[in-house]
């Protein structure tokens, strides 16, 4: 068995845990909306057609903020199609996902669903086929109290109170040639800045997100961030990051180390943003919104939508089935997001239901938790107080993609008021257990309240509708504490949370 150690110290404080770190994403894509969050006629549907089994799971997942309505979808979306009486809403072609959009669900339904799920809605505006005026109309409809054409339409449509949406994405992945209305960095930066300034005239206190690169591998990465922020630095609060990971060519060690890539991506965007800040001499620090991240087995690339004669309604697209290794990677990516809590102050796992998602449903039938549900839910519900940086000392292993990486990765949170501490740790070894020694003396943590591990003899094990609890977190039998020195055995390919209290 390998050994590793970490030291917990309140002096290693990074930042408070941002609740928005535990965001998710609902796009009009595949079955995320239709037969996902919404399915009138389902036995579990409420009076508005929302599936209560999915609402229950979304709450259990611990999601805090949900981005809507896309994604690539938003770049061709007319938001007005989704308001008013359902029978008069138009049916449209969705060019992004080669589907037919019925518009049965739109802004008002999504806001209603968000209230029921207990999440904050986060909206994206279309800067692909549309521009400043449509963004302003949408903002007026959503957030103006009343007495104008658009706000009175909202009231007439059954929402007397403004929706009060604070966080808005200025387009989506505008650097990607697959995006409808794809732009150069300068073109997009100007449009994002002008849209942001106009939106702030209507409502100054908004939090606005400019599109960063759609992933680290884009040829324009870094130049894109620099050019966009040179145009828009003063007008926006966040630059976005998107990243998806998959196991390629059976290279499990590299895949398990995906958080190394996320760390580097975040550090590079922070450097790019801070460089622009020094050039524009702004007192403001740009924050990062990691508003799409996940494991995604990209059988098609996001740049290539499905094609063919058919334009189906809510086809089953991107319905990845996740295994134990995927869950360990998701847990590892959350460790990376938490450790960057000083700059990454919002993040959305893409997506919530059916589409590369922790929650799956059958049309008319069951809903269940994928393996990846568990590290997300436990992190979202357990991380509290301040994030503490930890530097694991211990073995490293070679990976083809990232070179030598630590076998154990970890982060901690400490809630001084509640007297609780949590350690989140992954063991990325494919064949060795690790005994992790946690020195918690500086925090006086004397008792293990809970220690749960996601692992399995078969790292390829998955949950299915017939065996939905094949992979669940189990109490770790090998966790002990003595005078604030905690020892826990991390199985190979595993994710673990250890909750400590003072006594
Ligand atoms: O989440 C799926 C897709 O991935 C989104 O629509 C797009 O923004 C990204 O390429």
């Amino acid at each position: 068995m390998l050994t590793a150690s970490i030291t917990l110290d309140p002096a290693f404080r990074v930042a408070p845990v941002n609740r928005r770190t535990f965001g998710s994403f609902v796009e009009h894509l595949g079955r995320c909306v239709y037969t996902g969050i919404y399915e009138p006629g389902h036995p579990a549907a409420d009076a508005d057609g929302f599936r209560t089994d999915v609402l229950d799971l979304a709450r259990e997942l611990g999601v805090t903020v949900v981005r809507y309505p896309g994604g690539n979808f938003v770049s061709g979306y007319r938001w007005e199609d989704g308001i008013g009486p359902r029978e008069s809403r138009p049916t449209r072609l969705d060019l992004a996902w080669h589907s037919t959009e019925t518009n049965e669900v739109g802004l008002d339904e999504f806001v209603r669903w968000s209230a029921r799920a207990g999440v904050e809605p986060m909206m994206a505006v279309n800067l692909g086929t549309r521009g400043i005026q449509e963004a302003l109309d949408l903002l007026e409809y959503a957030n103006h109290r009343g007495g104008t054409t658009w706000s009175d339409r909202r009231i007439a449509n059954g929402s007397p109170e403004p929706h009060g949406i604070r966080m808005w994405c200025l387009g989506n992945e505008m650097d990607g040639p697959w995006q409808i209305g794809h732009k150069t960095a300068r073109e997009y930066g100007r449009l994002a800045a002008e849209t942001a300034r106009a939106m702030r005239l209507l409502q100054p206190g908004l939090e606005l997100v400019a599109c960063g690169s759609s992933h680290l591998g884009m040829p324009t990465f870094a130049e894109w961030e620099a050019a966009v922020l040179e145009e828009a630095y003063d007008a926006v609060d966040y630059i976005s990051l998107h990243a998806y990971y998959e196991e390629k060519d059976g290279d499990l060690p590299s895949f398990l180390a995906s958080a190394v890539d996320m760390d580097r991506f975040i550090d590079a965007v922070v450097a790019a943003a801070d460089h622009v800040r020094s050039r524009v001499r702004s007192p403001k620090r740009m924050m990062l919104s990691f508003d799409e991240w996940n494991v995604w087995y990209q059988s098609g690339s996001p740049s290539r939508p499905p094609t063919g004669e058919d334009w189906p309604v809510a086809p089953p697209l991107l319905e990845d089935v996740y295994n134990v290794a995927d869950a360990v990677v998701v847990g590892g990516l959350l460790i990376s997001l938490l450790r960057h809590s000083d700059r990454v102050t919002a993040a959305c796992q893409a997506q919530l239901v059916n589409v590369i998602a922790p929650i799956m449903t059958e049309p008319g039938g069951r809903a269940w938790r994928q393996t990846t549900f568990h590290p997300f839910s436990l992190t979202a519900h357990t991380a509290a107080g301040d994030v503490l940086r930890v530097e694991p000392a211990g073995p490293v292993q070679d990976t083809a993609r990232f070179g030598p990486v630590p076998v154990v990765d970890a982060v901690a949170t400490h809630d001084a008021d509640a007297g609780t501490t949590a350690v989140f740790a992954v063991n990325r070894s494919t064949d060795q257990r690790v005994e992790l020694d946690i020195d918690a003396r500086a925090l006086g943590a004397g008792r293990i309240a809970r220690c749960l591990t996601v692992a399995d003899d078969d790292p390829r094990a998955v949950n299915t509708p017939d065996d939905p609890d094949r992979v669940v977190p189990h109490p770790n039998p090998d966790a002990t504490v003595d005078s604030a020195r905690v020892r826990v055995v991390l199985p190979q390919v595993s994710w673990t949370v250890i909750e400590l209290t003072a006594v």
Side-chain angles (χ1 to χ4, degrees):
M1 181 151 53
L2 303 173
T3 57
S5 63
I6 57 176
T7 301
L8 307 184
D9 192 316
F12 301 159
R13 178 181 178 277
V14 177
V17 174
N18 302 296
R19 294 323 303 171
R20 281 184 179 154
T21 304
F22 308 109
S24 189
F25 179 27
V26 166
E27 178 168 3
H28 284 251
L29 192 183
R31 299 194 308 111
C32 189
V33 172
Y34 306 111
T35 72
I37 65 167
Y38 174 81
E39 191 177 355
H42 188 279
D46 66 13
D48 289 311
F50 300 133
R51 283 185 63 154
T52 56
D53 52 350
V54 173
L55 277 167
D56 289 345
L57 286 173
R59 281 187 289 262
E60 184 186 324
L61 187 60
V63 165
T64 52
V65 60
V66 177
R67 182 168 173 252
Y68 175 85
N72 296 343
F73 172 80
V74 81
S75 295
Y77 182 51
R78 285 171 269 208
W79 67 269
E80 312 89 312
D81 290 349
I83 59 168
R86 282 217 172 86
E87 55 283 6
S88 47
R89 295 186 191 180
T91 297
R92 302 276 192 196
L93 294 178
D94 162 20
L95 301 180
W97 300 107
H98 204 83
S99 308
T100 295
E101 174 56 52
T102 63
N103 285 304
E104 276 176 80
V105 171
L107 171 63
D108 294 323
E109 288 80 19
F110 178 68
V111 169
R112 215 167 296 141
W113 179 87
S114 297
R116 256 162 243 181
V119 304
E120 173 191 359
M122 169 181 177
M123 277 302 283
V125 302
N126 174 357
L127 292 188
T129 59
R130 303 188 118 189
I132 301 172
Q133 187 58 58
E134 293 90 344
L136 285 173
D137 293 346
L138 170 55
L139 179 61
E140 182 185 319
Y141 180 91
N143 282 6
H144 193 62
R145 66 185 178 285
T148 65
T149 298
W150 284 117
S151 55
D152 285 348
R153 285 270 292 275
R154 184 198 67 241
I155 294 167
N157 289 337
S159 298
E161 293 305 317
H163 292 325
I165 300 170
R166 281 186 65 83
M167 199 160 170
W168 295 75
C169 303
L170 303 166
N172 176 70
E173 294 190 350
M174 298 307 302
D175 65 322
W178 59 85
Q179 203 68 221
I180 303 168
H182 163 233
K183 293 173 176 49
T184 66
R186 289 284 161 198
E187 287 166 348
Y188 169 70
R190 292 259 317 136
L191 179 58
E194 294 310 326
T195 307
R197 289 183 190 117
M199 290 174 77
R200 287 193 198 286
L201 291 177
L202 205 162
Q203 200 178 347
L206 299 175
E207 295 179 60
L208 301 176
V209 187
C211 295
S213 297
S214 46
H215 57 86
L216 187 53
M218 290 300 284
T220 49
F221 170 68
E223 283 162 47
W224 173 274
E225 278 72 9
V228 168
L229 288 177
E230 273 165 20
E231 299 289 346
Y233 198 95
D234 69 325
V236 303
D237 308 288
Y238 299 83
I239 183 91
S240 74
L241 297 82
H242 291 180
Y244 293 100
Y245 299 97
E246 65 180 318
E247 184 184 339
K248 285 191 187 128
D249 307 320
D251 179 4
L252 186 54
S254 292
F255 176 55
L256 291 168
S258 296
V260 170
D261 181 88
M262 183 179 254
D263 287 340
R264 290 178 188 169
F265 191 11
I266 294 169
D267 292 344
V269 174
V270 165
D274 288 352
H275 182 63
V276 176
R277 179 188 180 192
S278 65
R279 291 190 29 209
V280 299
R281 298 178 196 282
S282 172
K284 178 172 73 184
R285 263 176 133 197
M286 190 61 55
M287 292 296 146
L288 275 52
S289 173
F290 215 124
D291 46 42
E292 286 187 33
W293 67 269
N294 207 349
V295 173
W296 179 1
Y297 289 90
Q298 304 184 27
S299 44
S301 101
S303 54
R304 260 181 282 121
T307 53
E309 297 291 308
D310 286 349
W311 293 77
V313 175
L317 295 177
L318 318 184
E319 300 201 357
D320 281 2
V321 177
Y322 292 121
N323 62 31
V324 172
D326 299 325
V328 173
V329 169
V330 163
L333 295 173
L334 283 162
I335 288 172
S336 171
L337 292 170
L338 279 171
R339 118 166 104 235
H340 290 98
S341 291
D342 55 335
R343 298 304 289 268
V344 180
T345 51
C348 303
Q349 189 185 34
Q351 302 193 2
L352 183 66
V353 193
N354 291 327
V355 175
I356 44 173
I359 300 171
M360 296 301 289
T361 68
E362 292 171 327
R366 298 167 283 189
W368 66 101
R369 303 166 191 80
Q370 294 233 51
T371 59
T372 52
F373 184 101
H374 298 292
F376 189 109
S377 173
L378 282 166
T379 307
H381 287 292
T382 312
D386 290 328
V387 178
L388 303 184
R389 191 172 180 91
V390 301
E391 297 288 350
V396 294
Q397 63 185 16
D398 262 324
T399 63
R401 257 151 71 191
F402 308 115
V405 303
V407 169
V408 171
D409 193 17
V411 73
T413 63
H414 177 62
D415 186 339
D417 295 335
T420 55
T421 302
V423 177
F424 306 92
V426 286
N427 175 1
R428 298 154 162 169
S429 170
T430 54
D431 54 10
Q432 301 266 354
R433 297 187 303 153
V434 178
E435 185 181 67
L436 178 64
D437 179 354
I438 304 169
D439 182 345
R441 287 174 296 180
L443 300 174
R447 194 176 74 85
I448 298 175
R450 188 161 77 141
C451 181
L452 294 171
T453 292
V454 176
D456 199 282
D457 291 341
D458 176 8
R460 312 286 175 191
V462 300
N463 291 340
T464 63
D466 290 332
D467 196 0
D469 295 327
R470 166 75 176 80
V471 179
V472 292
H474 288 290
N476 187 314
D478 301 312
T480 58
V481 61
D482 183 13
S483 310
R485 299 293 295 259
V486 180
R487 284 200 173 74
V488 54
V489 175
L490 310 177
Q492 56 267 43
V493 191
S494 68
W495 174 91
T496 295
V497 55
I498 305 130
E499 273 187 278
L500 304 167
T501 57
V503 278

